Amino acid sequence: MRALHPPRTRRQRSCRPDLSGLRGVRAVRTGVPRGRGLLLSLTIDLTERFVAAADEWAEARLEERETALETKAEQALLEIEYLVSGRTEVSFDVDAEAGRIDYAPSDELSRLLSAQADETGLDEATILRLHVDLFVGAFPGDDDRPPNAPPV
């Protein structure tokens, strides 16, 4: 689990970086606090709960495990994005062999994850993983309906 921005290091305040090879180029102020910016991409590890939910999904629908992992990732990420930013599409990559999801959150979700990371002391990828774990079981499918439930 890692965020795209590097860890903070101590800098010497009196020395300016040597930019002699970049003549005519000036530093640009972005208005983003130092050390925090919008997240370009996050990598989260798949948890046992996530994999178990995907396995149940695959078994119930006779799908391959990779397809089920992608479906469950899409469901969870889309629900999170919709609640935070109103987005109805997400783009991500699932590496089933490595057990990872690579995801580029929206600006709104990036800000929320950064704020929650500041409040809790956890990194943004861990916060996103916790949210994904929360929503991975939100779509159990039709097989989990009680026997006395009316037909749909």
Side-chain angles (χ1 to χ4, degrees), residues 21-86:
L22 301 173
R23 293 194 177 145
V25 175
R26 290 181 283 154
V28 176
R29 294 200 183 273
T30 62
V32 176
R34 176 173 280 152
R36 289 277 184 211
L38 298 180
L39 304 172
L40 299 178
S41 180
L42 290 173
T43 299
I44 60 173
D45 295 326
L46 300 179
T47 61
E48 289 179 22
R49 177 184 166 143
F50 186 96
V51 173
D55 286 342
E56 287 178 26
W57 186 270
E59 185 177 323
R61 285 158 185 77
L62 302 175
E63 292 180 348
E64 291 187 21
R65 187 178 204 193
E66 279 190 36
T67 305
L69 288 171
E70 290 174 3
T71 301
K72 295 309 278 183
E74 181 178 25
Q75 289 173 344
L77 291 170
L78 189 58
E79 187 67 23
I80 294 164
E81 275 291 357
Y82 183 75
L83 291 172
V84 174
S85 67

Side-chain angles (χ1 to χ4, degrees), residues 97-131:
E97 292 178 10
R100 290 191 324 237
I101 300 173
D102 294 319
Y103 178 62
S106 66
D107 294 346
E108 293 89 354
L109 182 55
S110 294
R111 282 191 286 275
L112 177 70
L113 293 173
S114 292
Q116 290 179 341
D118 288 341
E119 290 174 11
T120 62
L122 300 171
D123 62 293
E124 289 89 350
T126 301
I127 300 282
L128 181 61
R129 190 194 75 221
L130 292 171
H131 288 307

